[in-house]
Amino acid sequence: EPGVCLDANSLYPTAMAIGIFPVGKFDVLNEGDIDVRDLEQRLARGEMLVAEVTLDAGNIRYPLIPWKNEKGNLVYKAGVFTDIYYSPDLVEAVALGYKIVDVKRCVRWARSERIFADTIETLYNDRMENTKKAKQLNQEGKKNEASGCESMAKTIKILLNSMYGKFLENIKTVSKFGELDPTKRLIRSMTLPNGQIESTYRLNKITDRKPLYLGGFILAYARQIMNRLIISVGPENIAY
């Protein structure tokens, strides 16, 4: 039978634009510091957190919460399983009928903001403006100018769709231009042909070196968006 490819337009930029992300300092809650009821209350208050929990899918026939196996592959698993999830995942799980039966540990933030919304909106509007301008220039027969606008629109599209991946990288160093910063761990320094001094420093804070939690939240919001599409057509009709 014919099938239809289910896709979300600008999935990751949309997730970044609509998502609320943790900012500021975080607290670590180990086993004994937090239980299931406390976790559920924190989720209800909208707290941003990452938790290792045990979920029970019960009688859910078409599970939509992923579980990572020992090979690192994502499996949509039934039954009872334990993994690390972000708060949007846990909110989604509870809404779909999963039960949180145990909490191993948790990292939580007291503050949260829509930190990407303005950036994504500005870039998206620039992309649409260049697309519109290219169309107009093509109609006027100005092919060369239209080509420039089309190239810019494609470049912005690539930037929007790839930006989230930078928050899944292990970032070890940062380069800066100007005078040396004695407060940072200098790796090397060199004078460029134009006279500028480029200095490379090692990042000290793990939250600077590994902003993986931001990438994790982006992916969690992206899963929510795709789940809405899957539910709209019925998970029994989806191959995933």
Side-chain angles (χ1 to χ4, degrees):
E1 295 183 5
V4 176
C5 179
L6 194 62
D7 192 17
N9 182 38
S10 298
L11 176 61
Y12 297 115
T14 301
M16 294 173 74
I18 67 173
I20 300 173
F21 296 87
V23 296
K25 296 181 179 181
F26 59 86
D27 298 317
V28 178
L29 304 175
N30 292 308
E31 195 169 11
D33 298 328
I34 185 170
D35 57 21
V36 172
R37 182 178 180 184
D38 185 16
L39 177 65
E40 290 176 339
Q41 290 175 342
R42 291 177 184 275
L43 292 172
R45 292 196 297 266
E47 284 192 14
M48 297 289 101
L49 54 85
V50 183
E52 182 179 8
V53 302
T54 299
L55 296 176
D56 183 357
N59 295 321
I60 296 176
R61 186 173 182 182
Y62 301 101
L64 294 178
I65 300 300
W67 169 75
K68 186 176 290 187
N69 65 17
E70 61 279 358
K71 295 182 179 180
N73 300 320
L74 290 184
V75 179
Y76 289 85
K77 186 178 174 69
V80 180
F81 52 92
T82 300
D83 209 336
I84 296 174
Y85 293 98
Y86 295 80
S87 44
D89 287 319
L90 294 174
V91 170
E92 184 83 346
V94 172
L96 291 171
Y98 290 77
K99 290 184 179 180
I100 304 173
V101 297
D102 190 28
V103 185
K104 305 294 184 183
R105 51 184 172 152
C106 173
V107 177
R108 48 85 61 179
W109 288 261
R111 295 175 51 221
S112 59
E113 296 178 12
R114 293 179 64 199
I115 57 178
F116 297 114
D118 290 344
T119 299
I120 297 299
E121 182 178 357
T122 298
L123 288 172
Y124 186 81
N125 289 340
D126 286 347
R127 177 192 167 195
M128 292 297 99
E129 182 62 28
N130 276 279
T131 301
K132 179 180 178 182
K133 192 173 181 180
K135 183 178 180 180
Q136 180 180 343
L137 290 169
N138 275 318
Q139 291 174 346
E140 295 173 359
K142 300 177 181 179
K143 303 297 183 182
N144 290 336
E145 294 179 50
S147 178
C149 291
E150 289 169 352
S151 296
M152 180 58 70
K154 289 179 181 178
T155 300
I156 295 174
K157 179 180 180 180
I158 293 171
L159 177 61
L160 282 167
N161 287 327
S162 62
M163 190 185 304
Y164 84 97
K166 301 304 294 184
F167 297 97
L168 293 169
E169 292 182 357
N170 185 352
I171 303 171
K172 297 180 179 180
T173 63
V174 61
S175 294
K176 293 188 176 183
F177 298 90
E179 296 182 1
L180 294 177
D181 186 346
T183 66
K184 299 185 181 298
R185 296 173 60 187
L186 179 67
I187 297 176
R188 61 181 176 273
S189 182
M190 62 183 295
T191 302
L192 303 177
N194 63 2
Q196 281 187 311
I197 298 176
E198 180 183 3
S199 302
T200 303
Y201 302 93
R202 186 173 302 281
L203 295 172
N204 295 320
K205 296 181 179 180
I206 191 169
T207 50
D208 291 334
R209 297 198 310 270
K210 289 187 174 183
L212 300 181
Y213 61 95
L214 291 178
F217 273 97
I218 294 170
L219 294 177
Y221 286 121
R223 283 190 288 270
Q224 280 190 336
I225 294 170
M226 290 306 301
N227 283 348
R228 299 286 76 74
L229 292 176
I230 290 172
I231 291 171
S232 69
V233 299
E236 68 278 7
N237 299 313
I238 299 293
Y240 62 97

